[in-house]
């Protein structure tokens, strides 16, 4: 992860500029409202429960995984 | 089929012994129609990174809308950890699925080879132990190996799901004796997972003593998925009934069905 610059985060494996202060703010910017069911978030390898999205800050170098259920066998 | 022949896993009663996958159908409506025709009350889903380019209706909403009015209630969800190659990845995927879907049920897949999709037993056992301790209802996809199945049950798996053949191969049940042995010994329900190609495979699984069958490609890639879903429903019911009825003993020689006395002539 040495390639991650000081003001960037990784979102679903892709580096991008850090543009939100919290997980909730980041998701809102992508059209995912606070408390949306069917979406789950992990920050640096640990699940962030939905109710804690607003109070969970994002910092440079963080790695965010945002997932949802899709068709599967 | 008797009304009382319900399958119970981790306290949940299931009226259908067919679990259906939701992937690979020609389109969403065919998937929903196949689900209805199958009578299944439990469907599998995968957990994947969301597309951040645009937000579309979630599969969960689609399923809830399509099945909410059924007598059996909305279809149950069995998220999977498909594609995970380590216990660590599988545990995080399970935790994300629990958060996304609000269910502790997980079809645990930890594969050791991306081409064969064969289970990695060591990682599977480790992930099962961790997830059971974390309160999950763990249904592991595993080898058709009685020892591995016993270890998984000992760790607290709610069911074991041995493969009949490679995932998506449609090769049927390659080692029926192993499946029968697992069924005879398992303290938890045995669900035949992977390998089913057509209705007779599903019936055989049930005749061997499986509590249920999980399949996907056999229906989604059939020429007529909806008709195959109905065939699978019937096959599972027939195989289950045959298992309960108890088959006749096999003989190496003929045994006449009709009485031998009173033949004309002679």
């Amino acid at each position: 992860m040495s390639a991650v610059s000081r003001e960037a985060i990784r979102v679903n494996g892709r580096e991008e500029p850090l543009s939100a202060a919290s997980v909730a703010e980041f998701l809102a910017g992508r059209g995912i409202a606070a408390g949306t069911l069917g979406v789950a978030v992990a920050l640096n390898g640990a699940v962030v429960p939905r109710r804690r999205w607003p109070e969970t800050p994002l910092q440079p170098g963080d790695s965010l995984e945002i997932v949802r259920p899709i068709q599967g066998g | 089929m008797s009304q009382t022949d319900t399958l119970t896993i981790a306290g949940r009663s299931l009226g259908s012994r067919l679990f259906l996958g939701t992937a690979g159908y020609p389109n969403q409506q065919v998937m929903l129609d196949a689900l209805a025709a199958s009578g299944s009350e439990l469907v599998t889903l995968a957990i994947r990174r969301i597309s951040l380019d645009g937000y579309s209706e979630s599969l969960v909403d689609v399923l809830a809308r399509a099945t909410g009015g059924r007598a059996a209630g909305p279809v149950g969800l069995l998220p999977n950890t498909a594609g995970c190659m380590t216990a660590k990845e599988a545990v995080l995927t399970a935790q994300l699925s629990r958060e996304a879907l609000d269910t502790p049920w997980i079809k645990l897949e930890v594969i050791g080879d991306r081409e064969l999709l064969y289970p990695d037993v060591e990682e599977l056992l480790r992930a099962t132990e961790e997830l059971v301790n974390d309160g999950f209802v763990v249904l592991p996809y595993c080898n058709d190996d009685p020892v591995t199945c016993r270890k998984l049950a000992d760790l607290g798996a709610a069911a074991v799901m041995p493969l009949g053949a490679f995932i998506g191969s449609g090769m049927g049940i390659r080692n029926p004796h192993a499946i029968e042995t697992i069924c005879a010994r398992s303290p938890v329900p045995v669900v035949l997972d992977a390998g089913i190609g057509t209705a007779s495979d599903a019936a055989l699984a049930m005749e061997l003593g499986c509590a249920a069958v999980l399949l996907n490609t056999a229906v989604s890639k059939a020429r007529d998925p909806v008709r195959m879903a109905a065939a699978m429903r019937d096959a599972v019911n027939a195989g289950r009934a045959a298992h309960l009825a108890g088959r006749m003993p096999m003989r190496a020689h003929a045994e006449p069905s009709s009485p031998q006395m009173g033949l004309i002539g002679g």
Side-chain angles (χ1 to χ4, degrees):
Chain A
M1 294 299 146
S2 57
V4 176
S5 73
R6 284 187 60 239
E7 298 303 311
I9 60 171
R10 287 185 82 77
V11 180
N12 286 352
R14 269 200 293 189
E15 192 177 323
E16 61 174 76
L18 176 54
S19 58
S22 70
V23 169
E25 193 184 322
F26 177 88
L27 292 172
R30 302 307 175 95
I32 301 169
T36 299
L37 290 170
V39 174
V41 173
L43 180 60
N44 301 326
V47 174
V48 181
R50 198 169 286 118
R51 66 177 185 284
R52 287 184 39 217
W53 290 354
E55 71 202 44
T56 303
L58 289 179
Q59 284 157 359
D62 275 350
S63 178
L64 204 55
E65 292 282 350
I66 308 163
V67 301
R68 69 186 305 196
I70 62 162
Q71 294 81 355
Chain B
M1 185 65 51
S2 155
Q3 288 289 315
T4 57
D5 185 37
T6 51
L7 169 62
T8 302
I9 297 178
R12 182 189 190 115
S13 293
L14 294 158
S16 165
R17 292 170 179 272
L18 177 56
F19 306 164
L20 192 64
T22 54
Y25 293 83
N27 58 57
Q28 191 169 75
Q29 192 56 51
V30 172
M31 186 266 284
L32 293 173
D33 291 346
L35 172 59
S38 76
S40 179
E41 296 177 11
L42 194 64
V43 298
T44 54
L45 308 168
I47 302 294
R48 288 292 180 271
R49 285 171 167 171
I50 200 167
S51 164
L52 294 167
D53 302 330
Y55 194 67
S56 56
E57 187 181 21
S58 112
L59 174 62
V60 178
D61 294 338
V62 170
L63 287 168
R65 187 157 36 78
T67 66
R70 305 193 319 179
V75 71
L77 304 178
L78 180 59
N80 69 32
T81 63
C84 291
M85 296 198 73
T86 64
K88 190 180 171 195
E89 284 171 15
V91 166
L92 180 57
T93 301
Q95 290 168 338
L96 283 165
S97 83
R98 178 169 63 183
E99 172 68 15
L101 295 168
D102 202 24
T103 175
W105 284 51
I106 191 77
K107 172 184 164 177
L108 181 62
E109 268 186 66
V110 191
I111 57 166
D113 187 305
R114 285 208 191 280
E115 277 180 42
L116 304 178
L117 304 179
Y118 221 66
D120 182 321
V121 172
E122 225 178 335
E123 295 291 311
L124 184 66
L125 292 168
R126 189 172 301 142
T128 298
E129 185 169 27
E130 268 192 59
L131 290 170
V132 167
N133 290 338
D134 195 11
F136 281 88
V137 174
V138 182
L139 290 81
Y141 156 71
C142 59
N143 302 29
D144 57 350
D145 164 9
V147 175
T148 299
C149 287
R150 196 201 61 228
K151 286 183 181 178
L152 289 166
D154 287 348
L155 288 171
V160 291
M161 305 208 294
L163 55 84
F166 293 135
I167 289 178
S169 70
M171 292 283 282
I173 300 175
R174 305 310 295 176
N175 191 345
H177 301 294
I179 296 297
E180 191 169 32
T181 303
I182 290 165
C183 292
R185 292 167 165 235
S186 180
V188 295
V190 178
V191 180
L192 197 288
D193 183 7
I196 300 288
T198 188
S200 53
D201 298 330
L204 176 61
M206 300 308 292
E207 288 171 13
L208 294 172
C210 289
V213 168
L214 197 169
L215 57 88
N216 185 342
T217 316
V219 167
S220 66
K221 297 301 185 200
R223 193 172 61 238
D224 183 342
V226 179
R227 182 172 279 195
M228 184 59 88
M232 290 298 184
R233 174 200 65 206
D234 292 345
V236 165
N237 286 341
R240 173 67 180 170
H243 174 73
L244 294 176
R247 63 157 297 140
M248 62 162 282
M250 285 195 203
R251 299 180 215 276
H253 303 290
E255 175 85 15
S257 319
S258 305
Q260 292 299 92
M261 295 181 307
L263 284 165
I264 63 166

